[in-house]
Amino acid sequence: MNEKIWLSSPHMGGQELEYVKDAFQSNWIAPLGPNVDGFEEDLAKYTGSPFVAALSAGTAALHLALILLDVKQGDEVLCQSMTFSASANPIAYQGAIPVFVDSEKETWNMDPVLLEEAIKDRMAKGKKPKAIIPVHLYGMPAKMTEILAIAAKYEIPVIEDAAEALGSLYQGKACGTLGETGILSFNGNKIITTSGGGALIGRNGDQIKKARFLATQARDNAPHYEHTHIGYNYRMSNICAGIGRGQMLVLNDRVEQRRRNFDYYVKELAGLPGITFLQEPEGSFSNRWLTTVLVNKEATGGISRETIRQALEKENIESRPLWKPMHIQPVFSGAPAYVNGVSEKLFDDGLCLPSGSNLTIQQLESIVINIKKLWD
């Protein structure tokens, strides 16, 4: 059996251990501590967002963002359908109802036309949505100019899901900084990792301060344990934040390496019949967290994305279909959805190729050779 080639594995830079050692030597093992403060400062400087709360997961950040907007039982929240379930699950945590919006073809993200259609229809039914959650899928920025204009028109706040998009830019601004709040993820497969972890970022200092308070079990300022709010155990640990501080030192390198992977795949595979790649619209800069490819079975002569996935799997090479849209997931089968068929077609035809920043040229060559064999 060949050595496993992973879809997107962690990639340490070397300095992470020094920050972790500092935490051990100073006995800052429990949650919070100098590394947490430093990691928040690093993220604020990198993204340009003035306020950051380092948390246990991107999902926790999204949950807190909904709480800050007072999303409650029975409220509706507009959410991109083409995404990982963590974009929608926190809506359910609040007892609210996700209303799914399909994608457009240029970025694969939330379709602004359908977004406005959904808002108008929900309002006609007497339910004005409490929030909009667009996602920068695979690091590709959504059409934020249009989405933000619609959000402003109907006075609905935007929570920007940038879990996959740290290092991506939209018109020169960091993804995650364009909405009222933004969320980041540092899961093990992301462009940088803290093992597990996430962050809530925003322009409103009071909001982020409240998020930190709620994330630390909502402990009031008292010598005893006093609680006037329901709290959560959502803060990032000082150990994980130490890993994050080391990872921030190599973030730009990781973006460059992932973009280089994308360029290599395009150079080697774009000439194959039926193979296409998602290009960057003008004004967008993608971190290319994962390189994705569309496989047109009719144009390939019968080769599908499953043909490729299974062929790679036989060689111990991990690849994955694109996200299955939320509006066709069993758990959300009763949720309202405004669809145009784009995300379902993307799911049928799309494949994520190995994209780790630690891939060697030999591994990339092996992946490409095994794909090209199918056309021989």
Side-chain angles (χ1 to χ4, degrees):
M1 178 69 72
N2 298 329
E3 183 180 355
K4 180 84 170 184
I5 298 178
W6 297 97
L7 182 70
S8 179
S9 64
H11 187 187
M12 295 295 100
Q15 292 300 307
E16 296 86 357
L17 190 57
E18 296 306 312
Y19 287 103
V20 173
K21 282 180 179 178
D22 286 345
F24 273 82
Q25 289 168 358
S26 61
N27 206 34
W28 280 103
I29 303 300
L32 304 185
N35 280 336
V36 175
D37 295 339
F39 188 42
E40 290 177 343
E41 292 168 4
D42 294 342
L43 288 168
K45 182 178 180 181
Y46 186 88
T47 63
S49 179
F51 303 105
V52 178
L55 302 166
S56 58
T59 311
L62 188 46
H63 187 200
L64 291 174
L66 292 169
I67 293 170
L68 292 172
L69 294 176
D70 198 32
V71 173
K72 295 179 179 176
Q73 180 90 25
D75 287 338
E76 293 187 350
V77 176
L78 295 158
C79 181
Q80 185 165 311
S81 183
M82 186 75 175
T83 186
F84 180 51
S85 64
S87 299
N89 286 339
I91 302 170
Y93 299 168
Q94 290 303 100
I97 299 164
V99 177
F100 294 114
V101 179
D102 214 328
S103 297
E104 35 78 11
K105 294 180 180 179
E106 289 77 21
T107 74
W108 302 356
N109 295 311
M110 182 178 280
D111 185 336
V113 175
L114 277 183
L115 171 63
E116 185 160 25
E117 179 184 316
I119 293 171
K120 288 179 177 178
D121 192 52
R122 302 324 293 174
M123 291 177 69
K125 290 177 168 61
K127 296 286 285 187
K128 181 180 178 180
K130 292 289 286 286
I132 301 169
I133 305 175
V135 184
H136 303 300
L137 202 65
Y138 303 115
M140 183 63 72
K143 292 187 174 182
M144 293 303 295
T145 298
E146 293 93 330
I147 290 169
L148 290 171
I150 293 165
K153 179 179 177 180
Y154 295 97
E155 298 182 326
I156 303 173
V158 171
I159 302 169
E160 208 179 338
D161 186 340
E164 302 172 8
L166 181 61
S168 297
L169 302 173
Y170 181 78
Q171 296 183 354
K173 295 181 179 179
C175 288
T177 65
L178 302 159
E180 179 158 331
T181 54
I183 71 113
L184 303 172
S185 173
F186 311 111
N187 191 34
N189 64 357
K190 293 300 190 294
I191 197 150
I192 64 167
T193 185
T194 59
S195 175
L200 181 67
I201 64 179
R203 297 185 294 269
N204 186 319
D206 290 338
Q207 278 190 329
I208 303 303
K209 182 179 179 181
K210 185 175 181 181
R212 290 195 189 105
F213 166 72
L214 294 173
T216 319
Q217 297 290 19
R219 288 174 55 187
D220 291 330
N221 186 19
H224 54 279
Y225 289 94
E226 183 82 5
H227 303 273
T228 53
H229 296 75
I230 296 296
Y232 306 88
N233 188 18
Y234 280 173
R235 275 299 242 160
M236 181 178 284
S237 82
N238 199 50
I239 298 293
C240 290
I243 299 172
R245 294 215 70 187
Q247 287 274 278
M248 288 298 294
L249 297 174
V250 294
L251 175 52
N252 287 333
D253 292 338
R254 300 298 182 254
V255 173
E256 182 181 337
Q257 288 160 328
R258 301 238 178 191
R259 287 176 62 84
R260 198 155 53 231
N261 290 342
F262 173 83
D263 291 342
Y264 180 82
Y265 282 127
V266 170
K267 179 171 71 76
E268 294 294 330
L269 300 176
L272 295 175
I275 293 293
T276 56
F277 292 85
L278 181 64
Q279 299 299 320
E280 288 169 327
E282 185 176 353
S284 291
F285 176 88
S286 173
N287 65 10
R288 297 294 185 185
W289 170 54
L290 295 184
T291 291
T292 57
V293 62
L294 294 181
V295 186
N296 184 325
K297 188 176 179 179
E298 288 71 31
T300 62
I303 299 168
S304 68
R305 65 110 156 124
E306 271 302 281
T307 309
I308 297 173
R309 189 189 68 79
Q310 291 171 2
L312 293 175
E313 187 175 51
K314 287 179 182 177
E315 300 299 323
N316 211 21
I317 299 169
E318 184 183 23
S319 62
R320 289 279 180 88
L322 300 190
W323 299 124
K324 182 177 181 179
M326 292 299 103
H327 72 268
I328 56 173
Q329 292 282 1
V331 70
F332 293 120
S333 59
Y338 295 79
V339 300
N340 54 16
V342 171
S343 64
E344 291 184 46
K345 181 64 173 170
L346 290 171
F347 173 61
D348 288 342
D349 294 349
L351 188 68
C352 300
L353 298 176
S355 303
S357 52
N358 50 4
L359 287 173
T360 66
I361 187 60
Q362 290 79 16
Q363 289 174 318
L364 285 166
E365 288 172 351
S366 175
I367 295 160
V368 164
I369 287 169
N370 280 286
I371 293 173
K372 285 182 174 178
K373 281 180 183 176
L374 299 171
W375 272 259
D376 291 342

